[in-house]
Amino acid sequence: SIQTATPVPGEGFTDYPLSAHAHEVAARLQQSKRNVPHYYLTVDVNMDKLLETRSALNATMPNAEADGLGVYEFLIKAAAAAMRTVPSANASWMDSHVRVFDDVNLNIVVGSGDSLYTPVISKVAGKGLKAISSELKSFTDALEEQEGDEAPLVLGGLGTFTVMNLGMYGIKSCAPIIREPQSCALAIGAMENRIIPGEGEEIYKEAVMMTATLSCDHRVVDGAVGAQWLAAFKSHVENPNSLLL
């Protein structure tokens, strides 16, 4: 992680001084949580077709182990596609008015602690899965190169929407804090095998499922709009061919 000040031991405790970057992140999150009237919506998504599509696409790549598509790329693309379906969620509260953005500029959360950053993928709705994958890799590489460097890392500015993935840590669901002036943030949970209702004569079946939670600013996105957005996201994930068009 980024080099920080030397820990200061005390009687029965240790103080860990924060970097200027960590102070800034904490202040922004505190302000957002205090100012934004959050509410939360959660949906379970069937990942079977997406995983099949991902495997089929990776099978066509000569070096899929290094350059293949991950699940996260599909979910980022699905979030951007859902914004195109429900554009009123791609907006900001501006006190005297609501500003709806033409482009979907998506922040993703990478790193942790003093190395927590939210780089932005600009105009993501118009990008293919491979382009998104390349940008994700560039963010990861930049973060690794930053290790031990005290200078702040610059990975783009504030987008119109944020996605965070805690599934890699085994977390089933999370209610993320919205980053002002954005009006929504999406948290992705871990994929897991679950027993779900079957179709036709099949009463039950096993499927790979994932839980997604959308945090909304009620001043901008009311419950009906938030539900429409999550339904669109679920539809794109469960019908991944729509993400290839």
Side-chain angles (χ1 to χ4, degrees):
S1 62
I2 295 175
Q3 192 176 44
T4 57
T6 304
V8 181
E11 279 192 44
F13 63 87
T14 302
D15 290 334
Y16 291 86
L18 298 175
S19 66
H21 173 72
H23 269 293
E24 182 181 2
V25 170
R28 288 182 178 179
L29 290 175
Q30 182 183 39
Q31 177 177 312
S32 292
K33 188 63 174 176
R34 180 176 60 239
N35 294 346
V36 176
H38 288 64
Y39 75 94
Y40 312 98
L41 300 171
T42 299
V43 69
D44 290 328
V45 183
N46 190 320
M47 300 293 288
D48 284 347
K49 288 185 179 179
L50 186 150
L51 294 174
E52 291 173 4
T53 301
R54 171 179 173 261
S55 295
L57 290 175
N58 283 344
T60 67
M61 298 182 184
N63 191 17
E65 188 171 333
D67 301 325
L69 298 171
V71 172
Y72 202 16
E73 289 90 311
F74 284 87
L75 299 178
I76 289 171
K77 181 68 175 179
M83 280 298 184
R84 286 293 180 90
T85 304
V86 188
S88 56
N90 192 42
S92 290
W93 177 259
M94 307 298 290
D95 289 330
S96 63
H97 58 278
V98 171
R99 177 172 295 166
V100 178
F101 297 97
D102 297 331
D103 295 320
V104 182
N105 301 319
L106 197 150
N107 289 107
I108 60 168
V109 180
V110 296
S112 62
D114 263 9
S115 299
L116 183 66
Y117 291 94
T118 52
V120 64
I121 302 177
S122 300
K123 301 183 178 181
V124 65
K127 292 182 177 178
L129 294 166
K130 187 59 179 174
I132 294 171
S133 181
S134 296
E135 290 201 44
L136 287 175
K137 187 176 185 303
S138 70
F139 297 150
T140 302
D141 291 345
L143 197 60
E144 291 176 352
E145 292 172 4
Q146 172 71 7
E147 187 171 349
D149 191 344
E150 293 183 356
L153 184 62
V154 178
L155 287 173
L158 182 65
T160 61
F161 181 66
T162 295
V163 176
M164 64 184 302
N165 178 15
L166 289 177
M168 65 182 74
Y169 301 108
I171 300 301
K172 182 176 181 180
S173 65
C174 165
I177 298 174
I178 297 168
R179 301 180 66 213
E180 281 190 302
Q182 296 176 3
S183 62
C184 293
L186 180 71
I188 303 301
M191 293 186 296
E192 59 183 8
N193 292 326
R194 301 181 199 168
I195 302 299
I196 64 172
E199 299 174 356
E201 296 181 357
E202 189 178 22
I203 300 176
Y204 299 106
K205 65 178 182 179
E206 186 177 57
V208 179
M209 302 294 292
M210 178 200 75
T211 298
T213 302
L214 182 70
S215 299
C216 301
D217 181 344
H218 207 295
R219 298 170 300 180
V220 181
V221 179
D222 63 23
V225 174
Q228 290 169 12
W229 191 94
L230 263 188
F233 174 76
K234 176 182 172 73
S235 177
H236 284 299
V237 172
E238 294 185 346
N239 299 279
N241 286 343
S242 67
L243 304 176
L244 306 179
L245 301 176

